[in-house]
Amino acid sequence: MSAPIRTGILGYGAVAHMHMKALALCPERIVTGVYGPNPEKAQAFARQYGITAYPTRQALLEASDCIHICTPTGTHCQDILDCFAMDKHVLCEKPLCMTDEECDIIRAAAEKAS
């Protein structure tokens, strides 16, 4: 049996709660924690699920193999690029991004990361 996939949650809104419920059904995953720009909201989310609230996005990425991006759509492109830059797997809620240009940037970065 392989080691569990260390999975981090970027964001703490309604979609992040749906992701946490789904991850609870995946024994091959262990949720490392959450990060979001409001420390109080991140702490509340973390307490609800018994996980860690990381003080920085960098700390969450360093602690995780895979990141579930549950942030506002306007930040998805940069969030994905930051994950790829650290060689992380990504699962992004929809929509993927705001523009065709951002989609092209993400596609190019994914091809380069493969």
Side-chain angles (χ1 to χ4, degrees), residues 53-103:
Y54 284 90
T56 66
R57 177 203 316 236
Q58 181 76 16
L60 175 68
L61 295 181
E62 288 172 359
S64 307
D65 304 312
C66 176
I67 301 293
H68 283 221
I69 297 177
C70 303
T71 56
T73 305
T75 69
H76 287 179
C77 185
Q78 189 60 55
D79 293 337
I80 292 167
L81 296 177
D82 291 347
C83 290
F84 285 168
M86 292 187 65
D87 199 30
K88 304 300 174 184
H89 298 280
V90 173
L91 189 148
C92 185
E93 61 112 6
K94 65 179 179 121
L96 179 64
C97 52
M98 299 290 286
T99 67
D100 290 343
E101 291 78 19
E102 285 181 344
C103 189

Side-chain angles (χ1 to χ4, degrees), residues 1 4 9 12 16-17 24-25 28 36 38 41 46 52 59 62 75 79 88 97-98 100 103 106 110:
M1 181 177 198
I9 305 290
Y12 39 61
H17 290 279
L25 302 174
E28 68 280 1
N38 182 313
K41 288 182 180 181
T52 300
E62 288 172 359
T75 69
D79 293 337
K88 304 300 174 184
C97 52
M98 299 290 286
D100 290 343
C103 189
I106 291 168

